[in-house]
Amino acid sequence: MSRLFALLARDPGRLAGVVILTLLASLVEGAGLLLLVPLLTIVGVDVPVDGPLGTVADAVEGALAAVGLPLVLPVVLAVYVVVVAGQSGLRYLERVRSTALVEDLKADLREEVFEVVARADWPYHLRTRGSDLLQVLNDEVFRVGDASTQALGILTTGLTAAVYLAVAFYLSPLASGVAAVTALLLLFLLRARAARSRAAGQAWSDAAEGVYFTASEFLAGLKTAKSHAAEGRHTRAFGRETRRLADSWVQSARSYADVQFFFTTGAVVVLSLLVWLALEVIRLEAAALLVLIFIFLRVIPRFSSLQNSLQYLANALPALDRVDGVLAEAGAAAEGGGSGAGSGAESGAGPGTGPGAEGTAAIPLAEGIRVEDVTYAYLPEVEAGVAPPVLREVTLEIPARRTTALVGVSGGGKTTLADLLLGLLRPDQGRILVDGTPLDALDLAAWRRGIGYVAQESFLFNDTIRQNLLPDGGAGQGAGDDGRGAGDNALLEALRTARLDTFVQGLPAGLDTVVGERGVRLSGGERQRLALARALVRRPRLLVLDEATSALDYESEDLIRQALERLHGETTVVMITHRLPLARDADRIYVLDRGQVVQSGTWNELAAADGRFRELAAAATRGPDS
């Protein structure tokens, strides 16, 4: 619970306000309890009063006389109504403010988790399932918010019960003490149920994680599943996870019901003991006994609510553990060099010069990139002894404003090398130099701001073509809030370079055509060329193409090759391809095989020499691309 209150205490002023309102409402409620019988006595109801209640009755009578109010039933009832209304008003304010406090806590916590995850390095995301993060952002943060509400409820219930008990002790210390000790003993005996609630909460979190993963995996591979008529398999898997989630919730409900049963039974015992003590041992007067029974009838539900809240907190603790775990693990994996959620933020019209260049200008690439003796391994595979490092002592040069091609069969390490150039991964050994400066020493956000990257399977947003092209979704465009006007010229030029301008202009909505989720309304080739245009809009200093033409027909690929020719001398291009003809015009070609550079040179040099390149070229002429 201390962790929950630590979260709530992030806004100490509002938390203090809730506590003060709760305390005032509890005090006013206690005052109303004390006033009930004395006020009735004052107006002539025949209830003998002496002792503590007599003292209160005399005080009330004196207060009413001091303000000149007559001792008549309407006035007395009006006073009581005012007290109760005041207490209700304070409770209203307390509930509204506590709800606002918790909702802001959930919003802040979601933003914090999202930001920390966004700042985490690429290896963290490689080992973490996206569905698990979604489950934490949605369900677990929601449960933490509910647990915070319960924590505030414990505070409210505890203060109210304390005021009730104080009034009860004022009336009869002995009877109240025995009843309070018995109730606390009952709470103590039920404490073991909290462990069961926590176990049930852990089972719920695990089951919810399974539901998210099963659903997200199916939706991500929906086309494949339907193509193989495998919907039934996924439906059954989802059904199993959903049933497991339902069973865990039933277990939680059973735990709550068990506690409620035992506590209610125990409460009857406590109340019976109280009445017996008051009548047979203490011989309490009727008025005091009436108020005492009324108080404990009000206190018992408070204790029951307190126990339920404690059970719920125990059930929700695994959710808090998971949120804390993500914050800790993702925070420990934060990228250095100032890269954050916006580390991949694109610049505007030019790298580091457009309005989208957030803060730090893109790093110039004047001389080139040197990869020196770089070795990289995906640790789980290497430590298990089932795979060698992906890259082993790779050394190569990427001159500025030239085209460098990386070729080789799948699994040779080409994409891993591209990830290292992007700063997504860091070498286990060796280093990467940008204009002579180690990449690790650079601001990664500034470095990536000058990079255009096109992957083999590029991601498109469920938005318009315009918004998919605009840097940062159009933020900061000088031509207007929606990026129209002069900004369209840059978009159309990029589309022209990617040989997609005629297609887009032929659409009824043009640039405002919605492409669907992941670009599903476009063909594979159109998606790839749109992704290339998106990279070119940034006018990048470094353009990385990772099998970017794999989905294109040969005619479209030739058009892309012509576009790349026009970039020659202006942009540093790193091209990863298994289609060797696309690398023909590269200034230098590196052949990677099993994580090592086995050959390098120009097209003519490699074609004339015996080696791996000639084997790849021969294989390409014997059959279709693989």
Side-chain angles (χ1 to χ4, degrees):
M1 191 186 301
S2 59
R3 170 68 173 130
L4 289 173
F5 277 112
L7 289 174
L8 292 168
R10 290 180 175 185
D11 193 341
R14 294 174 71 181
L15 179 59
V18 171
V19 172
I20 291 172
L21 285 171
T22 300
L23 180 60
L24 289 175
S26 300
L27 291 174
V28 173
E29 191 167 350
L33 291 174
L34 279 176
L35 288 174
L36 182 60
V37 172
L39 284 176
L40 293 176
T41 304
I42 290 171
V43 296
V45 178
D46 189 16
V47 180
V49 176
D50 56 16
L53 285 181
T55 303
V56 173
D58 293 339
V60 172
E61 184 176 359
L64 291 176
V67 296
L69 291 176
L71 297 179
V72 294
L73 183 59
V75 172
V76 173
L77 292 179
V79 170
Y80 186 72
V81 168
V82 168
V83 171
V84 173
Q87 179 264 334
S88 298
L90 290 170
R91 289 293 185 203
Y92 168 81
L93 292 175
E94 176 264 321
R95 289 192 186 98
V96 170
R97 296 197 178 186
S98 62
T99 299
L101 178 61
V102 170
E103 289 304 314
D104 284 346
L105 164 67
K106 290 195 291 187
D108 291 343
L109 199 55
R110 278 198 178 94
E111 290 178 14
E112 182 180 356
V113 171
F114 192 92
E115 182 178 5
V116 170
V117 168
R119 291 182 180 277
D121 57 23
W122 189 239
Y124 170 81
H125 291 282
L126 290 177
R127 64 178 181 267
T128 306
R129 298 188 309 194
S131 61
D132 294 349
L133 297 176
L134 286 175
Q135 194 258 337
V136 168
L137 280 167
N138 187 34
D139 286 353
E140 304 296 40
V141 171
F142 184 85
R143 291 175 68 201
V144 170
D146 275 359
S148 299
T149 300
Q150 295 296 327
L152 289 174
I154 288 173
L155 177 65
T156 301
T157 302
L159 286 174
T160 303
V163 170
Y164 282 174
L165 289 175
V167 175
F169 270 91
Y170 176 74
L171 297 176
S172 177
L174 178 59
S176 301
V178 172
V181 169
T182 308
L184 291 174
L185 179 62
L186 186 61
L187 288 176
F188 178 78
L189 292 175
L190 292 174
R191 76 192 189 284
R193 299 282 173 173
R196 297 185 186 179
S197 292
R198 178 157 187 162
Q202 183 65 53
W204 193 95
S205 292
D206 293 341
E209 189 176 90
V211 168
Y212 268 80
F213 174 71
T214 305
S216 63
E217 186 178 50
F218 171 68
L219 293 174
L222 181 59
K223 186 174 183 180
T224 300
K226 294 190 75 65
S227 298
H228 291 88
E231 299 96 329
R233 170 195 165 196
H234 291 278
T235 300
R236 289 190 296 273
F238 184 77
R240 285 193 299 271
E241 295 299 331
T242 301
R243 182 53 53 192
R244 188 160 69 101
L245 182 65
D247 290 343
S248 66
W249 190 250
V250 169
Q251 185 61 36
S252 297
R254 181 178 292 114
S255 177
Y256 297 146
D258 288 348
V259 170
Q260 187 70 27
F261 170 77
F262 287 114
F263 193 89
T264 301
T265 304
V268 172
V269 174
V270 172
L271 186 59
S272 300
L273 179 62
L274 171 68
V275 174
W276 181 80
L277 282 172
L279 291 175
E280 300 297 330
V281 179
I282 306 173
R283 300 191 182 281
L284 203 63
E285 65 182 44
L289 177 60
L290 178 63
V291 175
L292 201 60
I293 292 175
F294 180 75
I295 288 173
F296 275 94
L297 285 174
R298 300 289 297 274
V299 167
I300 287 173
R302 298 301 194 280
F303 273 99
S304 179
S305 175
L306 184 64
Q307 179 63 34
N308 284 337
S309 295
L310 290 172
Q311 290 289 113
Y312 191 94
L313 282 179
N315 186 271
L317 283 178
L320 183 58
D321 291 341
R322 295 211 174 189
V323 171
D324 284 343
V326 169
L327 289 174
E329 187 178 356
E335 287 184 320
S339 69
S343 62
E346 294 90 342
S347 61
T353 60
E358 301 168 356
T360 308
I363 294 171
L365 183 56
E367 301 171 11
I369 303 170
R370 176 172 173 78
V371 179
E372 289 186 352
D373 299 321
V374 165
T375 295
Y376 183 82
Y378 293 101
L379 294 179
E381 290 81 357
V382 176
E383 289 176 351
V386 298
V390 180
L391 296 174
R392 290 181 291 171
E393 299 179 351
V394 171
T395 297
L396 53 84
E397 297 277 354
I398 301 173
R401 297 176 297 281
R402 295 292 182 266
T403 298
T404 301
L406 305 177
V407 302
V409 297
S410 299
K414 304 184 298 297
T415 295
T416 300
L417 182 55
D419 289 344
L420 288 163
L421 295 175
L422 294 170
L424 296 174
L425 303 175
R426 293 185 177 183
D428 296 328
Q429 299 176 17
R431 60 179 184 168
I432 298 175
L433 304 173
V434 178
D435 291 346
T437 302
L439 181 57
D440 285 348
L442 297 177
D443 184 324
L444 288 179
W447 170 241
R448 291 175 187 155
R449 222 165 261 134
I451 295 177
Y453 176 67
V454 184
Q456 184 174 2
E457 296 182 4
S458 294
F459 182 86
L460 296 178
F461 299 99
N462 186 18
D463 209 329
T464 63
I465 292 175
R466 182 194 310 279
Q467 293 302 318
N468 271 283
L469 289 174
L470 289 172
D472 296 333
Q477 294 301 306
D481 292 340
D482 60 358
R484 297 176 184 272
D488 286 358
N489 293 332
L491 304 186
L492 292 173
E493 177 60 30
L495 289 169
R496 204 161 18 248
T497 303
R499 294 299 187 264
L500 200 62
D501 56 322
T502 302
F503 167 75
V504 172
Q505 290 174 325
L507 295 172
L511 286 169
D512 295 312
T513 300
V514 176
V515 302
E517 187 174 3
R518 298 177 181 269
V520 69
R521 297 177 184 173
L522 303 178
S523 70
E526 290 161 355
R527 287 197 297 270
Q528 208 71 346
R529 280 182 283 167
L530 183 58
L532 176 60
R534 177 170 57 190
L536 295 177
V537 165
R538 307 176 60 184
R539 294 171 54 190
R541 301 193 189 282
L542 172 63
L543 178 62
V544 179
L545 306 175
D546 188 357
E547 298 287 7
T549 63
S550 60
L552 302 180
D553 55 62
Y554 286 104
E555 181 179 359
S556 297
E557 183 180 75
D558 187 60
L559 294 174
I560 296 298
R561 186 183 62 79
Q562 295 176 29
L564 295 178
E565 285 181 357
R566 289 199 294 274
L567 295 175
H568 192 268
E570 298 181 1
T571 303
T572 305
V573 178
V574 175
M575 178 193 310
I576 296 172
T577 182
H578 68 276
R579 289 187 175 181
L580 294 187
L582 193 62
R584 180 182 294 274
D585 297 327
D587 296 283
R588 194 158 193 85
I589 302 172
Y590 289 93
V591 182
L592 274 72
D593 189 51
R594 299 181 182 179
Q596 293 182 303
V597 175
V598 295
Q599 276 185 290
S600 65
T602 64
W603 177 276
N604 292 333
E605 291 171 347
L606 292 173
D610 291 332
R612 187 65 174 136
F613 183 83
R614 180 178 286 185
E615 294 174 0
L616 294 172
T621 59
R622 287 196 300 267
D625 294 326
S626 57

